Amino acid sequence: MPKDRSELPPVEDLLTAAVTGLGGVERPGQVKMAQAVGDAIESEEHLAVQAGTGTGKSLAYLVPAIRHAAESGDAVVVSTATIALQRQLVDRDLPRLADALESLLPHRPEFAILKGRRNYLCRHKMAAGMPEDEDDQLFDPREVSATGRMVQRIQDWANETETGDRDEIVPGVSDQAWRQFSVTARECLGAQRCPSGADCFAELARERAGEADVVVTNHALLAIDAMEDFAVLPEHDVVVVDEAHELVDRVTSVVTGELSESTVSLAVRRAGRLVEQGVADRLQEAGEDLRALLAVAPPGRVDTLPQSLGMTLALVRDAAFACITALGPRNKDKDDPENAGLRKAAFTTLDEVHDTAQRMLDAFGPAAGGDGAGDDEDVDSPGSRDSASARDSASSGGANGGGTDARSEEVHRAEVVWLEEGRGRIPPTLRVAPLSVGGMLRDKLFGDRTVVLTSATLALGGTFDSLSRQWGLRAGEWTGLDVGSPFDHPRRGILYVATHLPQPGRDGLPEAYVDEIAELIEAAGGRTLGLFSSMRAAKAATEALLERLDVPLLCQGDDSTSQLVKQFAGDPATCLFGTLSLWQGVDVPGPSLTLVIIDRIPFPRPDDPLASARQRHVAATGGNGFMAVAATHAALLLAQGAGRLLRSMDDRGVVAVLDPRLATARYSGFLLNSLPPFWRTTDPAKVREALRRLTADA
Ligand code: SF4
């Protein structure tokens, strides 16, 4: 074991030791990637690496990351989009890697997982039994008892858990039940003031992370750490973003604000215990006005602010601010932790309501924003200025910032507001999100650390340009590398585009598509993953084919997705149809998955408010909105969907795209260049023959 950091073996030697220790085979793409990651860390240059399935990319970044941590003494942060990958890293890859590298490093590599505060049990809230959400939505006695049973399960688990991590609870519990036992970062009293601070699970997780060489987290927490003025993650100068194709969507979710009767009434309930009745009543009345307005407003993007909505948002904002003022100084109860907890919760919710209402008004320009009381930089003014400044920088540095000769409001628009329809007991909800998070990522994430971004899908249309633009990176600030795939795509896979079929229409799945799917599945003997662009199409195909085919047919929603995938993987004759989560989440090597059917090019829905606003904004600033937004979205999903086919070196099969536009439209070259280099055909007879041969060989 080298005692000195200068004696550390080079990345290549560590990788060889890691691969040998894990019983794997060294692959050229993996070696190339590990070297590039090591070089990027050393030269402090951002790097984007596309590494196909089977490359072994987690080792290719973990090895140089661990070496850097050993050399610098600082942690390296690894961020993922999914819990599945977090688990794989923490439960499987990192422990084995630590065993394999221990003898070559000054100390055994330590690792830890760190999630957002709301994922951990809050001992203070549990002990105080804070009456969180005695929610008027809970009027259904069945739901009350279901939530009550979950609450009981959480309490039983709380007596035993050593981590307080919500993910330990199996089966999982609803957000509503969990909220009774958790706080957000803004609601937390802070370990110094909290009576349970010394035993706080979130603080313990942070402490463990502070001692680790590798800290595994998720994109949301990474974004919060980058945006906020206070550190959430331990000090680090290198971040590896795995599943980087998800980064922009996850960051957008973090900075999306929402306002509905529910959010306002939660603020009223929390403030109502602490301020004069009349002040809380004013907010309640504003919330009722909002409810009445949203109940009759058409869902979708709000392009111009109707006067009634502008007035109601201003009423909500001002009433929330009146409650905030009535609560008094924020640190009033510093010696009374129980009351401090209630006040902190009230401040947090009121701040959110106030700031979101203001933000929605601001989205329509300064005239709409008015000069509400909340605009004063009062000594005790609401506390979300960090997010506001983050959003400001998001808009200023976006790919299409407006120029002085801008001709339309569209050019200057920074945020988009839309109304989402109510579902069940979820009321209609107004949302606001930035048109671009590129500026924010550029300033806050890429600004003062080295970032390595990786995924099996980053080079769209053959280049990294589309995604690097969305990340806010400019030419010369980063390097792109495609290390390819160990799979022999032209020999192992066929891309079939059904050019003889009609273009997909708006009226559901065409009859000719159903016939084509039936013929392909018959030729494959089942073994089919059907990836549909809507749940409606997936269900229509399932219903139409259940009678017609004598293979088991599963449809997403019949059971939990993980259960369905298990059934699908366990029986080669079984087919599984579904939508979005299957496009990215299915990993089934072997003959159970021989055919992937894609019904149509997965463009965003025309009524998707954010995508359509982004597209229009790019067009207004002289770019090609369709290519920058819709085609990029489709290319990413198509590549992810096609990537379900080959999952191991022995796999073979067909990706069948029924939408003929993939071969005929003017943008088809961009989409085709985003897919793995399968052998291509448009001949249905050849494909069916190939499928029959594959089935016979299986
Ligand atoms: S420090 Fe915060 S999260 Fe931890 S127990 Fe106290 S209030 Fe809860």
Side-chain angles (χ1 to χ4, degrees), residues 17-37:
V19 172
T20 312
L22 270 63
V25 200
E26 209 164 77
R27 303 201 164 124
Q30 188 182 47
V31 176
K32 205 168 162 187
M33 177 170 170
Q35 284 167 338
V37 174

Side-chain angles (χ1 to χ4, degrees), residues 117 122-124 183 188-191 194 196-197 200 202-203:
R117 192 158 291 252
C122 169
R123 287 193 194 268
H124 175 58
V183 292
C188 166
L189 290 175
C194 173
S196 305
C200 169
E203 293 295 327

Side-chain angles (χ1 to χ4, degrees), residues 585-605:
V586 174
D587 184 9
V588 177
S592 285
L593 205 173
T594 301
L595 170 63
V596 175
I597 295 179
I598 293 173
D599 71 327
R600 64 190 294 163
I601 298 171
F603 292 121
R605 289 164 52 109

Side-chain angles (χ1 to χ4, degrees), residues 496 498-504 511-517 599 657-661:
Y496 161 58
T499 47
H500 62 286
L501 291 179
Q503 286 195 11
E511 195 52 39
Y513 279 39
V514 177
D515 293 341
E516 183 78 20
I517 295 171
D599 71 327
V657 179
L658 308 187
D659 187 338
R661 293 174 297 174

